[in-house]
Amino acid sequence: MAALPVYRWRLAPEGLATRRQLRALGLRPGGQDVAAQLERTRRRRGPLVAYLYRIDRARPVRPMTPARRAALAAAMAARRTCPVCQQDRGYCIPRSLGMCVPCHDSPASSALAA
């Protein structure tokens, strides 16, 4: 296995892009291997790493079909529905709480936790 070329932050050659940059162009990696990586040094931690893909090998983003749109809407509705009160709260329920904030802050839930 050959080692990946490593470039410093903002010094990557033309023709390479990150996943976010590809998405902004309406493209996706399309199964290709990582072509190179960017590294940005940090003072007290390890470097930030971003993987680069070749733009000429990227494929167009798959279109959103009605079935995919419905599945995504159902998944997001499930994340917004509190398992305790069964209400759609309009925000994603925090996984750390396991229920919506009003249910967590109510005296009944604190009695259950004790």
Side-chain angles (χ1 to χ4, degrees):
M1 183 173 133
L4 290 176
V6 178
Y7 298 102
R8 295 189 67 191
W9 204 255
R10 297 187 186 265
L11 296 177
E14 294 292 323
L16 297 178
T18 63
R19 283 183 179 266
R20 286 187 181 196
Q21 291 169 339
L22 288 175
R23 187 63 179 209
L25 296 172
L27 301 171
R28 61 186 169 95
Q32 65 173 302
D33 292 331
V34 175
Q37 71 182 28
L38 286 176
E39 285 191 356
R40 178 178 175 198
T41 58
R42 298 189 290 181
R43 289 186 181 179
R44 292 183 173 88
R45 294 185 280 178
L48 286 174
V49 176
Y51 296 110
L52 299 172
Y53 301 90
R54 291 181 46 177
I55 295 175
D56 59 345
R57 288 189 181 173
R59 294 184 178 163
V61 175
R62 294 182 188 128
M64 183 67 73
T65 63
R68 288 177 69 193
R69 190 176 308 277
L72 183 59
M76 291 306 295
R79 289 183 67 193
R80 291 190 311 263
T81 304
C82 176
V84 176
C85 63
Q86 297 298 315
Q87 292 183 3
D88 185 343
R89 289 298 181 175
Y91 59 87
C92 289
I93 304 298
R95 291 177 60 193
S96 60
L97 301 179
M99 60 186 78
C100 65
V101 176
C103 288
H104 182 264
D105 292 342
S106 70
S109 70
S110 57
L112 292 174

